[in-house]
Amino acid sequence: MTTTIASAASPTVTLVVPNFNHAHYLPESLGSIANQTRAPDRVIIIDDCSTDDSIAVIERFLADRPSWRLIRHETNQGVVRGQNEALAGTDTDWIGFLGADDALHPTYLEKAMAQATQHPDAGLIVACCEIIGPKGPSAKRMLRPVMLPAPASAMLAPADIRQALRFGDNYFSGTTSLYRRTALQALGGFDVKLGSFSDAFLARRLALTYGCYFIAEALGYWRIHGQNYSTATATDPASLNAKLADIGALIAQNKLFPDGYDDIFARRNRFGAARMVLGGESAPSTKAARVTALLDGNAFDTYLLRLLLSSGASGRLAALAWITLRTRPMSLTRLLAQTTARRAILSATPGYRAP
């Protein structure tokens, strides 16, 4: 594949790959960066004290790529501290963060940086992504975000984002988000105490402050394998409750967000966590107890969910319907109205193929 380098007049971009014991997936994530039709100006790989073969894999990629560098932590510091370290250590105009277990479509940077050139004052550039499994493509192609912030590619002003947040959420996939570096720094970088929620919360603040450009194309691949950093945090009830309390307080203090968004944000994240648990492999009674805890529910929730989940596939659908009613995460009318647009986005891009 032919790779082109940005001209001197073009905005510059760094891609950061935080890694901890993902040697198995690194050839795909790093390979997807190496195969970009618009090469990143810099690549920073942060290894957070891995104990597997990660360093050997990384060094193979660094061997003939002078613009790539490795930062090795002698002690585990966590993803968010690594993100802030990379932010402080680069001076490019834009910066993005790719999970070591995720991957990018070859034209991601080409298309994202074209919009960065056209919209230099945007807070971030964000595209859609596709869910993939531990071994690659999922049996059924799934697009994220579930609800689109706009029916087609568009520059969205802060007022547009504020309105969109009333109907749906999770528009800013970390896999396919590029942040304007100076805007990111102006908002203080990533909040360590928010853990896996730090990038999502900061993306919302950026969009509500500076606006964002939405690319209605699937340009990245988010791998779900049960050990993702964000998944593990989101499905732990105690951790979820603590993070939602922290974020709720920050939202309530910030006038950028729509009125009542602290409650909406909590309900949407409880729904998302419960849906992840429903898709797992544990026993119905275990799922019912975990989902009830994530919903901050009661004994009736546990009883009903256990009953439904014992009824096979139809019961799982009924359980999903129940948690949807309990949490009211999004506008179902708007979601249904976007069905054709979501299908068109997926059909326009072939399914995932490893680099």
Side-chain angles (χ1 to χ4, degrees):
M1 180 175 292
T2 302
T3 299
T4 59
I5 304 292
S7 68
S10 301
T12 53
V13 61
T14 295
L15 287 183
V16 181
V17 184
N19 174 68
F20 176 65
N21 285 345
H22 279 324
H24 179 68
Y25 295 122
L26 279 170
E28 293 182 48
S29 61
L30 298 182
S32 76
I33 295 176
N35 286 341
Q36 289 295 297
T37 56
R38 192 285 194 198
D41 298 277
R42 297 180 188 173
V43 175
I44 301 173
I45 306 162
I46 301 179
D47 187 80
D48 204 21
C49 198
S50 292
T51 57
D52 62 2
D53 295 329
S54 290
I55 299 302
V57 175
I58 293 167
E59 287 179 341
R60 288 200 295 271
F61 277 88
L62 265 59
D64 58 352
R65 295 181 175 90
S67 63
W68 292 36
R69 71 185 180 101
L70 167 65
I71 296 175
R72 294 184 67 174
H73 290 166
E74 296 302 321
T75 59
N76 192 276
Q77 298 182 30
V79 172
V80 184
R81 286 188 173 86
Q83 289 176 310
N84 283 330
E85 180 181 10
L87 177 61
T90 188
D91 59 359
T92 54
D93 301 300
W94 295 81
I95 186 169
F97 301 87
L98 177 67
D101 45 357
D102 299 330
L104 298 172
H105 186 276
T107 62
Y108 166 65
L109 276 184
E110 177 184 339
K111 293 178 177 179
M113 292 306 293
Q115 298 306 326
T117 301
Q118 294 295 318
H119 305 281
D121 295 327
L124 70 162
I125 312 292
V126 61
C128 300
C129 65
E130 184 175 348
I131 299 293
I132 59 174
K135 297 182 180 180
S138 300
K140 179 182 178 181
R141 298 186 70 184
M142 294 179 286
L143 186 72
R144 293 294 183 271
V146 173
M147 181 179 288
L148 308 175
S153 298
M155 179 64 202
L156 303 174
D160 299 321
I161 297 298
R162 186 180 174 88
Q163 182 69 5
L165 288 175
R166 298 180 187 276
F167 296 99
D169 226 316
N170 297 322
Y171 301 128
F172 314 106
S173 168
T175 302
T176 50
S177 289
L178 284 185
Y179 306 88
R180 182 159 58 87
R181 180 182 58 84
T182 54
L184 199 58
Q185 291 175 325
L187 294 187
F190 299 95
D191 190 336
V192 174
K193 68 176 179 294
L194 298 184
S196 64
F197 287 90
S198 63
D199 57 346
F201 183 66
L202 186 53
R204 287 165 175 79
R205 290 178 62 210
L206 283 166
L208 287 166
T209 303
Y210 303 101
C212 77
Y213 191 91
F214 169 64
I215 303 175
E217 296 184 53
L219 298 179
Y221 305 95
W222 177 23
R223 193 187 306 271
I224 301 295
H225 50 72
Q227 298 178 354
N228 307 71
Y229 173 58
S230 57
T231 301
T233 302
T235 58
D236 175 73
S239 177
L240 180 65
N241 285 337
K243 293 297 185 293
L244 291 180
D246 289 341
I247 296 173
L250 292 172
I251 290 172
Q253 297 165 10
N254 195 319
K255 297 303 181 183
L256 290 172
F257 293 96
D259 291 340
Y261 184 67
D262 50 341
D263 176 63
I264 296 171
F265 182 86
R267 287 191 281 106
R268 287 172 178 167
N269 279 277
R270 291 188 188 281
F271 169 80
R275 186 177 60 180
M276 282 188 236
V277 172
L278 290 182
E281 301 296 330
S282 54
S285 58
T286 302
K287 284 186 183 181
R290 175 60 67 92
V291 169
T292 298
L294 290 168
L295 297 179
D296 197 21
N298 52 41
F300 176 75
D301 290 304
T302 304
Y303 168 78
L304 180 60
L305 287 167
R306 187 169 59 242
L307 185 66
L308 294 173
L309 292 171
S310 299
S311 303
S314 61
R316 286 194 297 273
L317 286 174
L320 180 61
W322 173 250
I323 67 171
T324 302
L325 288 171
R326 286 277 278 104
T327 57
R328 307 182 310 282
M330 65 187 73
S331 167
L332 294 180
T333 302
R334 181 162 294 203
L335 180 67
L336 291 172
Q338 292 182 348
T339 299
T340 300
R342 291 195 304 274
R343 288 175 177 170
I345 290 172
L346 276 178
S347 63
T349 305
Y352 177 67
R353 295 181 62 183

